[in-house]
Amino acid sequence: MASRKFFVGGNWKMNGDKESLGDLISSLNSASLDDQTEVVCAAPPIYLDFVRSSLDPRIGVAAQNCYKVAKGAFTGEISPAMIKDCGADWVILGHSERRHVFGESDELIGQKVAHALDADLGVIACIGEKLEEREVGTTEEVVYSQTQVIAENVKDWGKVVLAYEPVWAIGTGKTATPEQAQEVHEKLRSWLRANISDDVADSVRIIYGGSVTGVNCRELASQDDVDGFLVGGASLKPEFVDIINARA
């Protein structure tokens, strides 16, 4: 656990304007943040340049999505090259809202992962089961299948953070218990050990997302295989600093 640097991502989703995000950036810039934690904020694409130019360099910037090729006739899409040109170094791919609201397939997400990594972006790759899948006992089958497609498109695991986000816990106020989160994270690490390598299993950060708050973050962060968080709504609030400092 000690060799994996704690990672906290803030996914701002489709929220904010220059005024409110400017206020948020000012509060993050002046906050005391644990220097043993890597922090990345995922901004709406139209604000990537603004956020990167305003946010303290100690905090990374991510896009929330990208397409699978560098350029072309793909109206409304952005490429890893454009993200890099705005000074951002990360992208979130496979988020449940992309999968379930916008209908992105495992295959497309895998193609995006491959291209983003080829373009030298870090990838926060999201996986997670829906409530009905958990209730019928197929959580492992679902997350292993999603991870398999991601893994097939990864050459360098040093640029990948795996985010386990049970869909039933995203924005619902329901959080997986620390024990539930640890159980899935431990099984994912075992899957990496069996299917990729010991080195990858030991080094890849597996972070948790799903209604993480300033109240529950410390207990979640104490689990051996929980290497950080992908935070939604709480990343727009003052408690995001408490979440960043969950291991401090």
Side-chain angles (χ1 to χ4, degrees):
M1 184 167 73
S3 62
R4 297 190 295 270
K5 188 169 186 176
F6 204 66
F7 184 103
V8 175
N11 181 9
W12 297 349
K13 305 192 180 182
M14 196 177 73
N15 291 298
D17 52 26
K18 282 190 176 179
E19 182 179 6
S20 63
L21 294 180
D23 291 343
L24 177 62
I25 289 165
S26 294
S27 68
L28 288 172
N29 287 349
S30 60
S32 175
L33 305 180
D34 182 4
D35 61 7
Q36 297 304 305
T37 295
E38 183 171 3
V39 184
V40 173
C41 290
I46 201 163
Y47 295 131
L48 282 173
D49 220 342
F50 167 69
V51 171
R52 180 63 286 170
S53 63
S54 309
L55 196 57
D56 190 298
R58 67 187 166 151
I59 300 172
V61 174
Q64 298 173 15
N65 189 32
C66 70
Y67 198 49
K68 62 180 181 178
V69 295
K71 61 182 179 180
F74 304 103
T75 300
E77 293 291 337
I78 61 171
S79 70
M82 293 171 177
I83 294 165
K84 295 275 291 184
D85 197 35
C86 288
D89 293 314
W90 290 87
V91 64
I92 298 173
L93 291 173
H95 192 280
S96 69
E97 288 150 10
R98 300 304 314 173
R99 293 176 184 271
H100 303 305
V101 179
F102 297 98
E104 293 190 5
S105 65
D106 282 338
E107 180 185 20
L108 175 59
I109 291 160
Q111 292 167 340
K112 290 180 175 193
V113 167
H115 181 57
L117 291 171
D118 283 347
D120 202 32
L121 277 180
V123 171
I124 302 167
C126 301
I127 57 175
E129 82 283 7
K130 294 186 283 191
L131 182 59
E132 56 268 32
E133 291 164 338
R134 173 165 281 272
E135 288 176 340
V136 299
T138 58
T139 293
E140 288 171 50
E141 185 182 328
V142 170
V143 297
Y144 290 167
S145 172
Q146 292 169 340
T147 306
Q148 174 70 43
V149 179
I150 291 164
E152 289 167 357
N153 289 281
V154 175
K155 298 183 192 123
D156 177 10
W157 282 92
K159 300 280 287 181
V160 177
V161 171
L162 206 54
Y164 168 61
E165 293 200 301
V167 180
W168 49 270
I170 297 173
T172 61
K174 296 178 182 175
T175 312
T177 65
E179 294 76 22
Q180 284 174 318
Q182 169 59 22
E183 180 186 16
V184 178
H185 284 227
E186 186 177 16
K187 286 176 177 174
L188 282 166
R189 205 172 299 286
S190 296
W191 186 94
L192 291 170
R193 196 174 304 284
N195 293 277
I196 312 297
S197 71
D198 285 341
D199 284 349
V200 167
D202 290 336
S203 63
V204 165
R205 291 171 291 183
I206 306 175
I207 64 176
Y208 171 77
S211 298
V212 177
T213 67
V215 173
N216 61 27
C217 62
R218 285 189 175 273
E219 194 178 1
L220 284 161
S222 71
Q223 304 299 309
D224 283 352
D225 290 294
V226 175
D227 302 316
F229 303 116
L230 186 56
V231 186
S235 68
L236 297 160
K237 301 173 184 174
E239 68 187 302
F240 187 49
V241 173
D242 299 325
I243 298 169
I244 291 168
N245 294 332
R247 281 252 180 101

